[in-house]
Coordinates of all heavy atoms in Angstrom, one line a residue:
M54 N -37.3 55.3 -164.2 CA -38.4 56.3 -164.4 C -39.5 56.0 -163.4 O -40.2 56.9 -162.9 CB -38.8 56.2 -165.8 CG -39.9 57.2 -166.2 SD -39.5 58.9 -165.9 CE -38.1 59.1 -166.9
L55 N -39.8 54.7 -163.2 CA -40.9 54.4 -162.2 C -40.6 54.9 -160.8 O -41.5 55.4 -160.2 CB -41.0 52.8 -162.1 CG -41.4 52.1 -163.4 CD1 -41.4 50.6 -163.3 CD2 -42.7 52.6 -164.0
D56 N -39.3 54.9 -160.4 CA -39.0 55.5 -159.1 C -39.3 57.0 -159.1 O -39.7 57.5 -158.1 CB -37.5 55.3 -158.8 CG -37.2 53.8 -158.5 OD1 -38.1 53.1 -158.1 OD2 -36.0 53.4 -158.6
K57 N -39.0 57.7 -160.2 CA -39.3 59.1 -160.3 C -40.8 59.4 -160.2 O -41.2 60.3 -159.5 CB -38.7 59.7 -161.6 CG -37.2 59.7 -161.6 CD -36.7 60.4 -162.8 CE -35.2 60.4 -162.7 NZ -34.5 61.2 -163.8
L58 N -41.6 58.6 -160.9 CA -43.1 58.8 -160.8 C -43.5 58.6 -159.3 O -44.3 59.3 -158.8 CB -43.8 57.8 -161.7 CG -43.6 58.1 -163.2 CD1 -44.3 57.0 -164.0 CD2 -44.1 59.5 -163.6
R59 N -43.0 57.5 -158.7 CA -43.4 57.2 -157.3 C -42.9 58.3 -156.4 O -43.7 58.8 -155.5 CB -42.8 55.9 -156.9 CG -43.2 55.4 -155.5 CD -42.6 54.0 -155.1 NE -42.9 53.0 -156.2 CZ -41.9 52.5 -156.9 NH1 -40.6 52.9 -156.8 NH2 -42.2 51.6 -157.8
T60 N -41.7 58.8 -156.6 CA -41.1 59.9 -155.8 C -42.0 61.2 -155.9 O -42.2 61.9 -154.9 CB -39.7 60.1 -156.2 OG1 -38.9 58.9 -155.9 CG2 -39.1 61.3 -155.4
L61 N -42.4 61.5 -157.2 CA -43.2 62.7 -157.4 C -44.5 62.5 -156.6 O -45.0 63.5 -156.0 CB -43.4 62.9 -158.8 CG -42.3 63.4 -159.7 CD1 -42.6 63.4 -161.1 CD2 -41.9 64.8 -159.2
R62 N -45.1 61.4 -156.7 CA -46.4 61.1 -156.0 C -46.2 61.3 -154.5 O -47.0 62.0 -153.8 CB -47.0 59.8 -156.3 CG -48.3 59.4 -155.5 CD -48.8 58.1 -155.8 NE -47.9 57.0 -155.5 CZ -47.6 56.5 -154.2 NH1 -48.2 57.1 -153.2 NH2 -46.8 55.5 -154.0
K63 N -45.2 60.6 -154.0 CA -45.0 60.6 -152.5 C -44.6 62.0 -152.1 O -45.0 62.5 -151.0 CB -44.0 59.6 -152.1 CG -44.5 58.2 -152.2 CD -43.5 57.2 -151.7 CE -44.0 55.8 -151.7 NZ -43.0 54.8 -151.2
G64 N -43.8 62.7 -152.9 CA -43.4 64.1 -152.6 C -44.5 65.1 -152.5 O -44.5 66.0 -151.8
A65 N -45.6 64.7 -153.3 CA -46.8 65.6 -153.2 C -47.7 65.2 -152.1 O -48.7 65.8 -151.9 CB -47.5 65.5 -154.6
G66 N -47.3 64.2 -151.3 CA -48.1 63.7 -150.2 C -49.4 63.1 -150.6 O -50.4 63.2 -149.9
I67 N -49.3 62.4 -151.8 CA -50.5 61.8 -152.3 C -50.4 60.2 -152.3 O -49.3 59.7 -152.7 CB -50.7 62.2 -153.8 CG1 -50.9 63.7 -153.9 CG2 -51.9 61.5 -154.4 CD1 -50.9 64.3 -155.3
T68 N -51.4 59.6 -151.8 CA -51.4 58.1 -151.7 C -51.8 57.5 -153.1 O -52.3 58.3 -154.0 CB -52.4 57.6 -150.7 OG1 -53.7 57.9 -151.1 CG2 -52.1 58.1 -149.3
Q69 N -51.5 56.3 -153.3 CA -52.0 55.6 -154.5 C -53.5 55.8 -154.7 O -53.9 56.0 -155.8 CB -51.6 54.1 -154.5 CG -50.1 53.9 -154.8 CD -49.8 52.4 -155.0 OE1 -50.7 51.5 -154.7 NE2 -48.6 52.1 -155.4
V70 N -54.2 55.6 -153.6 CA -55.7 55.7 -153.7 C -56.1 57.1 -154.1 O -56.9 57.3 -155.0 CB -56.3 55.4 -152.4 CG1 -57.8 55.7 -152.4 CG2 -56.1 53.9 -152.0
E71 N -55.4 58.1 -153.5 CA -55.8 59.5 -153.9 C -55.4 59.8 -155.4 O -56.2 60.5 -156.1 CB -55.0 60.5 -153.0 CG -55.6 60.5 -151.6 CD -54.7 61.2 -150.6 OE1 -53.4 61.3 -150.8 OE2 -55.2 61.8 -149.6
L72 N -54.2 59.3 -155.8 CA -53.9 59.6 -157.2 C -54.8 58.9 -158.1 O -55.3 59.4 -159.1 CB -52.4 59.1 -157.4 CG -51.9 59.2 -158.9 CD1 -52.0 60.6 -159.4 CD2 -50.5 58.7 -159.0
A73 N -55.2 57.6 -157.8 CA -56.1 56.9 -158.6 C -57.5 57.7 -158.8 O -58.0 57.8 -159.8 CB -56.4 55.5 -158.1
E74 N -57.9 58.2 -157.7 CA -59.2 59.0 -157.7 C -59.0 60.2 -158.6 O -59.9 60.6 -159.4 CB -59.5 59.5 -156.3 CG -60.1 58.3 -155.4 CD -60.3 58.7 -154.0 OE1 -59.9 59.8 -153.6 OE2 -60.7 57.8 -153.2
R75 N -57.9 60.9 -158.5 CA -57.6 62.1 -159.3 C -57.6 61.7 -160.8 O -58.0 62.5 -161.7 CB -56.3 62.8 -159.0 CG -56.3 63.4 -157.6 CD -55.0 64.1 -157.3 NE -55.0 64.6 -155.9 CZ -54.2 65.5 -155.5 NH1 -53.2 66.0 -156.3 NH2 -54.3 66.0 -154.3
L76 N -57.1 60.5 -161.1 CA -57.0 60.1 -162.5 C -58.3 59.4 -163.0 O -58.4 59.1 -164.2 CB -55.8 59.1 -162.6 CG -54.4 59.7 -162.4 CD1 -53.4 58.5 -162.3 CD2 -54.1 60.7 -163.4
G77 N -59.2 59.1 -162.1 CA -60.4 58.4 -162.4 C -60.2 57.0 -162.8 O -60.8 56.4 -163.6
R78 N -59.2 56.4 -162.1 CA -58.8 55.0 -162.3 C -58.9 54.2 -161.0 O -58.9 54.8 -159.9 CB -57.4 54.9 -162.9 CG -57.2 55.7 -164.1 CD -57.7 54.9 -165.3 NE -57.2 55.5 -166.5 CZ -56.7 54.8 -167.5 NH1 -56.6 53.5 -167.5 NH2 -56.4 55.4 -168.6
P79 N -58.8 52.9 -161.0 CA -58.7 52.1 -159.8 C -57.3 52.2 -159.2 O -56.3 52.5 -159.9 CB -59.1 50.7 -160.2 CG -58.8 50.7 -161.7 CD -59.0 52.1 -162.2
Q80 N -57.2 52.0 -157.9 CA -55.9 52.0 -157.3 C -54.9 51.0 -157.9 O -53.7 51.3 -158.0 CB -56.1 51.7 -155.8 CG -54.8 51.8 -155.0 CD -54.1 50.4 -154.9 OE1 -54.7 49.4 -155.0 NE2 -52.8 50.4 -154.7
S81 N -55.4 49.9 -158.4 CA -54.6 48.9 -159.0 C -53.8 49.4 -160.3 O -52.7 49.0 -160.6 CB -55.4 47.6 -159.4 OG -56.4 48.0 -160.3
Y82 N -54.4 50.4 -160.9 CA -53.8 51.1 -162.1 C -52.5 51.7 -161.7 O -51.4 51.5 -162.3 CB -54.8 52.1 -162.7 CG -54.2 53.0 -163.7 CD1 -54.0 52.7 -165.0 CD2 -53.8 54.3 -163.3 CE1 -53.5 53.5 -166.0 CE2 -53.3 55.2 -164.3 CZ -53.1 54.8 -165.6 OH -52.6 55.7 -166.5
V83 N -52.6 52.5 -160.6 CA -51.4 53.2 -160.0 C -50.4 52.2 -159.6 O -49.2 52.3 -159.9 CB -51.8 54.1 -158.9 CG1 -50.5 54.8 -158.3 CG2 -52.7 55.2 -159.4
A84 N -50.8 51.2 -158.8 CA -49.9 50.1 -158.3 C -49.2 49.4 -159.5 O -48.0 49.1 -159.4 CB -50.7 49.2 -157.4
K85 N -49.9 49.1 -160.5 CA -49.3 48.3 -161.6 C -48.3 49.2 -162.4 O -47.3 48.7 -162.8 CB -50.4 47.8 -162.6 CG -51.1 46.6 -162.0 CD -52.2 46.2 -162.9 CE -53.0 45.0 -162.3 NZ -54.1 44.5 -163.2
I86 N -48.6 50.5 -162.5 CA -47.6 51.4 -163.2 C -46.4 51.5 -162.3 O -45.2 51.3 -162.8 CB -48.2 52.7 -163.5 CG1 -49.2 52.6 -164.6 CG2 -47.1 53.8 -163.8 CD1 -50.0 53.8 -165.0
E87 N -46.6 51.8 -161.0 CA -45.4 51.9 -160.2 C -44.6 50.6 -160.0 O -43.4 50.7 -159.7 CB -45.8 52.5 -158.8 CG -46.3 53.9 -158.8 CD -46.6 54.5 -157.5 OE1 -46.6 53.8 -156.5 OE2 -46.8 55.7 -157.4
G88 N -45.3 49.5 -160.1 CA -44.6 48.2 -160.0 C -44.0 47.7 -161.3 O -43.4 46.6 -161.4
G89 N -44.2 48.4 -162.4 CA -43.7 48.1 -163.7 C -44.5 47.0 -164.4 O -44.0 46.4 -165.4
E90 N -45.7 46.7 -164.0 CA -46.5 45.7 -164.6 C -47.3 46.3 -165.8 O -47.9 45.5 -166.5 CB -47.5 45.1 -163.6 CG -46.8 44.4 -162.4 CD -47.8 43.9 -161.4 OE1 -48.9 43.4 -161.8 OE2 -47.6 44.1 -160.2
R91 N -47.4 47.6 -165.8 CA -48.2 48.2 -166.9 C -47.5 49.4 -167.4 O -46.9 50.2 -166.7 CB -49.6 48.7 -166.3 CG -50.5 49.3 -167.3 CD -51.7 49.9 -166.7 NE -52.7 50.3 -167.6 CZ -52.7 51.3 -168.5 NH1 -51.6 52.0 -168.5 NH2 -53.6 51.6 -169.3
R92 N -47.5 49.6 -168.7 CA -46.9 50.8 -169.4 C -47.9 51.9 -169.4 O -49.1 51.7 -169.4 CB -46.5 50.4 -170.8 CG -45.3 49.5 -170.8 CD -44.9 49.2 -172.2 NE -43.8 48.3 -172.2 CZ -42.9 48.3 -173.2 NH1 -43.0 49.0 -174.2 NH2 -41.9 47.4 -173.2
M93 N -47.4 53.1 -169.6 CA -48.3 54.3 -169.8 C -48.0 54.9 -171.1 O -46.9 54.8 -171.6 CB -47.9 55.4 -168.8 CG -47.7 55.0 -167.4 SD -47.0 56.4 -166.4 CE -48.4 57.4 -166.2
D94 N -49.1 55.4 -171.7 CA -48.9 56.2 -172.9 C -48.5 57.6 -172.6 O -48.6 58.0 -171.4 CB -50.0 56.1 -173.9 CG -51.3 56.7 -173.4 OD1 -51.3 57.7 -172.7 OD2 -52.4 56.2 -173.8
V95 N -48.2 58.4 -173.5 CA -47.7 59.8 -173.2 C -48.8 60.6 -172.6 O -48.6 61.4 -171.7 CB -47.2 60.5 -174.5 CG1 -48.2 60.7 -175.5 CG2 -46.4 61.7 -174.1
L96 N -50.1 60.4 -173.0 CA -51.2 61.2 -172.4 C -51.4 60.8 -170.9 O -51.7 61.6 -170.1 CB -52.5 61.0 -173.2 CG -52.4 61.6 -174.6 CD1 -53.7 61.3 -175.4 CD2 -52.1 63.0 -174.6
E97 N -51.3 59.5 -170.6 CA -51.4 59.0 -169.2 C -50.3 59.6 -168.4 O -50.4 60.0 -167.2 CB -51.4 57.5 -169.2 CG -52.6 56.9 -169.8 CD -52.5 55.4 -169.9 OE1 -51.4 54.9 -170.2 OE2 -53.5 54.7 -169.8
F98 N -49.1 59.7 -169.0 CA -47.9 60.2 -168.3 C -48.1 61.7 -168.0 O -47.9 62.1 -166.8 CB -46.7 60.1 -169.3 CG -45.4 60.5 -168.8 CD1 -44.8 59.9 -167.7 CD2 -44.8 61.7 -169.3 CE1 -43.5 60.3 -167.2 CE2 -43.5 62.1 -168.8 CZ -42.9 61.4 -167.8
I99 N -48.7 62.5 -168.9 CA -49.0 63.9 -168.6 C -50.1 64.0 -167.6 O -49.9 64.8 -166.7 CB -49.4 64.6 -169.9 CG1 -48.1 64.7 -170.9 CG2 -49.9 66.0 -169.7 CD1 -48.5 65.1 -172.3
D100 N -51.1 63.2 -167.7 CA -52.2 63.2 -166.6 C -51.6 62.9 -165.3 O -52.0 63.6 -164.3 CB -53.3 62.2 -167.0 CG -54.1 62.5 -168.2 OD1 -54.1 63.7 -168.6 OD2 -54.8 61.6 -168.7
W101 N -50.7 62.0 -165.2 CA -50.1 61.6 -163.9 C -49.3 62.8 -163.3 O -49.5 63.2 -162.1 CB -49.1 60.4 -164.1 CG -48.4 59.9 -162.9 CD1 -47.5 60.5 -162.1 CD2 -48.6 58.6 -162.4 NE1 -47.1 59.7 -161.1 CE2 -47.7 58.5 -161.2 CE3 -49.4 57.5 -162.7 CZ2 -47.6 57.3 -160.5 CZ3 -49.3 56.3 -162.0 CH2 -48.4 56.3 -160.9
L102 N -48.5 63.5 -164.2 CA -47.8 64.6 -163.7 C -48.7 65.7 -163.2 O -48.4 66.4 -162.2 CB -46.8 65.1 -164.8 CG -45.7 64.2 -165.2 CD1 -44.9 64.8 -166.3 CD2 -44.8 63.8 -164.0
E103 N -49.7 66.0 -164.0 CA -50.7 67.0 -163.6 C -51.4 66.6 -162.3 O -51.6 67.5 -161.4 CB -51.7 67.2 -164.7 CG -51.1 67.9 -165.9 CD -52.1 68.1 -167.0 OE1 -53.2 67.4 -167.1 OE2 -51.8 68.9 -167.9
A104 N -51.7 65.4 -162.1 CA -52.4 64.9 -160.9 C -51.6 65.1 -159.6 O -52.1 65.2 -158.5 CB -52.9 63.5 -161.1
V105 N -50.2 65.0 -159.8 CA -49.4 65.2 -158.6 C -48.7 66.6 -158.6 O -47.7 66.8 -157.9 CB -48.3 64.1 -158.6 CG1 -48.9 62.7 -158.4 CG2 -47.3 64.1 -159.7
N106 N -49.3 67.5 -159.4 CA -48.9 68.9 -159.4 C -47.4 69.0 -159.8 O -46.7 69.8 -159.2 CB -49.1 69.6 -158.1 CG -50.6 69.5 -157.7 OD1 -51.4 69.8 -158.5 ND2 -50.9 69.1 -156.4
A107 N -47.0 68.2 -160.8 CA -45.6 68.2 -161.2 C -45.5 68.4 -162.8 O -44.6 67.9 -163.4 CB -44.9 66.9 -160.8
A108 N -46.5 69.1 -163.4 CA -46.5 69.3 -164.8 C -45.2 70.0 -165.2 O -44.7 69.8 -166.4 CB -47.7 70.0 -165.3
D109 N -44.6 70.8 -164.3 CA -43.3 71.5 -164.7 C -42.2 70.5 -164.8 O -41.1 70.9 -165.3 CB -43.0 72.5 -163.6 CG -42.8 71.9 -162.2 OD1 -43.5 70.9 -161.9 OD2 -42.0 72.4 -161.5
Q110 N -42.3 69.2 -164.4 CA -41.3 68.2 -164.6 C -41.4 67.5 -165.9 O -40.5 66.6 -166.2 CB -41.4 67.2 -163.4 CG -41.1 67.8 -162.1 CD -39.7 68.3 -162.0 OE1 -38.8 67.6 -162.3 NE2 -39.6 69.5 -161.5
L111 N -42.3 67.8 -166.8 CA -42.5 67.1 -168.0 C -41.3 67.1 -168.9 O -40.8 66.1 -169.3 CB -43.7 67.6 -168.8 CG -44.0 67.0 -170.1 CD1 -44.3 65.5 -170.0 CD2 -45.2 67.7 -170.8
Q112 N -40.7 68.3 -169.1 CA -39.6 68.4 -170.0 C -38.4 67.7 -169.5 O -37.8 66.9 -170.2 CB -39.3 69.9 -170.3 CG -38.3 70.1 -171.4 CD -38.8 69.7 -172.7 OE1 -40.0 69.7 -173.0 NE2 -37.9 69.4 -173.6
P113 N -38.0 67.8 -168.2 CA -36.8 67.1 -167.7 C -37.1 65.6 -167.7 O -36.1 64.8 -168.0 CB -36.7 67.5 -166.2 CG -37.4 68.8 -166.2 CD -38.5 68.8 -167.2
L114 N -38.3 65.1 -167.5 CA -38.5 63.7 -167.5 C -38.5 63.1 -169.0 O -38.0 62.0 -169.2 CB -39.9 63.4 -166.9 CG -39.9 63.5 -165.4 CD1 -41.4 63.4 -164.8 CD2 -39.0 62.5 -164.7
I115 N -38.9 63.9 -169.9 CA -38.8 63.5 -171.3 C -37.3 63.4 -171.7 O -36.9 62.4 -172.4 CB -39.6 64.4 -172.2 CG1 -41.1 64.2 -172.1 CG2 -39.2 64.2 -173.7 CD1 -41.9 65.2 -172.8
Q116 N -36.5 64.3 -171.2 CA -35.1 64.2 -171.5 C -34.5 63.0 -170.9 O -33.6 62.3 -171.5 CB -34.4 65.5 -171.0 CG -34.7 66.8 -171.7 CD -34.4 66.7 -173.2 OE1 -33.3 66.2 -173.6 NE2 -35.3 67.2 -174.0
D117 N -34.9 62.6 -169.7 CA -34.5 61.4 -169.0 C -34.9 60.2 -169.9 O -34.1 59.2 -170.1 CB -35.1 61.2 -167.6 CG -34.5 62.2 -166.6 OD1 -33.4 62.9 -166.9 OD2 -35.1 62.4 -165.5
L118 N -36.1 60.1 -170.4 CA -36.6 59.0 -171.2 C -35.8 58.9 -172.5 O -35.4 57.8 -172.9 CB -38.1 59.2 -171.5 CG -39.0 59.0 -170.4 CD1 -40.4 59.4 -170.8 CD2 -39.0 57.5 -169.9
L119 N -35.5 60.0 -173.1 CA -34.6 60.0 -174.3 C -33.2 59.5 -174.0 O -32.7 58.7 -174.8 CB -34.6 61.4 -174.9 CG -35.9 61.9 -175.5 CD1 -35.8 63.3 -175.9 CD2 -36.4 61.0 -176.7
A120 N -32.7 59.8 -172.9 CA -31.4 59.3 -172.5 C -31.4 57.8 -172.3 O -30.5 57.1 -172.7 CB -30.9 60.1 -171.3
I121 N -32.5 57.4 -171.6 CA -32.6 55.9 -171.4 C -32.7 55.2 -172.7 O -32.1 54.1 -172.9 CB -33.8 55.7 -170.5 CG1 -33.6 56.2 -169.0 CG2 -34.2 54.2 -170.4 CD1 -34.8 56.2 -168.2
R122 N -33.5 55.7 -173.6 CA -33.7 55.1 -174.9 C -32.3 55.1 -175.7 O -32.0 54.0 -176.3 CB -34.7 55.8 -175.7 CG -35.0 55.3 -177.0 CD -36.1 56.0 -177.7 NE -36.0 55.9 -179.1 CZ -36.4 56.8 -180.0 NH1 -37.0 57.9 -179.6 NH2 -36.3 56.6 -181.3
A123 N -31.6 56.1 -175.6 CA -30.3 56.2 -176.3 C -29.4 55.2 -175.8 O -28.6 54.5 -176.5 CB -29.7 57.6 -176.3
S124 N -29.4 55.1 -174.5 CA -28.5 54.1 -173.8 C -28.9 52.7 -174.2 O -28.0 51.8 -174.5 CB -28.6 54.2 -172.3 OG -27.8 53.3 -171.6
A125 N -30.2 52.4 -174.3 CA -30.6 51.0 -174.7 C -30.2 50.7 -176.1 O -29.9 49.6 -176.4 CB -32.1 51.0 -174.5
N126 N -30.3 51.7 -176.9 CA -29.9 51.6 -178.3 C -28.4 51.3 -178.5 O -28.0 50.5 -179.3 CB -30.4 52.8 -179.2 CG -31.8 52.8 -179.4 OD1 -32.5 51.8 -179.3 ND2 -32.4 54.0 -179.7
E127 N -27.6 52.0 -177.7 CA -26.2 51.7 -177.7 C -25.9 50.3 -177.2 O -25.0 49.7 -177.8 CB -25.5 52.7 -176.8 CG -25.4 54.1 -177.3 CD -24.5 54.2 -178.6 OE1 -23.5 53.5 -178.6 OE2 -24.9 54.9 -179.5
D128 N -26.6 49.8 -176.2 CA -26.4 48.5 -175.7 C -26.7 47.4 -176.8 O -26.1 46.3 -176.8 CB -27.2 48.2 -174.5 CG -26.8 49.0 -173.3 OD1 -25.6 49.5 -173.3 OD2 -27.5 49.1 -172.3
K129 N -27.6 47.7 -177.7 CA -28.0 46.8 -178.8 C -26.9 46.6 -179.8 O -26.9 45.7 -180.5 CB -29.3 47.2 -179.4 CG -30.5 47.0 -178.5 CD -31.7 47.5 -179.3 CE -33.0 47.4 -178.4 NZ -34.2 47.9 -179.1
R130 N -26.0 47.6 -179.9 CA -25.0 47.6 -180.9 C -23.8 46.8 -180.6 O -23.4 46.3 -179.7 CB -24.5 49.0 -181.2 CG -25.6 49.8 -181.8 CD -25.2 51.2 -182.1 NE -26.3 52.0 -182.6 CZ -26.3 53.3 -182.8 NH1 -25.2 53.9 -182.5 NH2 -27.4 53.9 -183.2

């Protein structure tokens, strides 16, 4: 999922600094999320998608997250 967020940002031609500015956060916030050091809540996730002009990707990404979760649950069994 982190790769998808990074790909969406880069595909929009937006740097980490530009995205951070759009989100009203420091650049380190973007770097930590993309590097897997920080988790996002659902509202931050939506803000990110809107900031990279990819709000239309919300539903497919949620489906991906649900599939990842289902797979992780299967692995626990």
Side-chain angles (χ1 to χ4, degrees):
M54 185 57 59
L55 299 175
D56 289 337
K57 289 183 181 190
L58 291 175
R59 187 179 307 110
T60 298
L61 287 170
R62 175 184 59 78
K63 289 182 176 184
I67 299 170
T68 67
Q69 284 188 349
V70 171
E71 291 168 329
L72 178 55
E74 289 172 356
R75 291 179 183 199
L76 295 171
R78 302 280 190 136
Q80 181 271 334
S81 61
Y82 168 83
V83 175
K85 287 179 181 179
I86 288 174
E87 289 186 352
E90 298 175 45
R91 186 189 187 289
R92 292 183 179 204
M93 311 171 80
D94 67 31
V95 69
L96 297 177
E97 291 170 327
F98 182 68
I99 292 168
D100 289 343
W101 183 294
L102 294 178
E103 289 176 343
V105 298
N106 301 313
D109 62 325
Q110 294 298 310
L111 179 59
Q112 192 67 25
L114 289 171
I115 288 174
Q116 292 300 320
D117 290 346
L118 288 171
L119 291 172
I121 290 167
R122 181 175 154 210
S124 177
N126 287 340
E127 286 294 318
D128 291 343
K129 290 180 183 178
R130 293 181 186 171

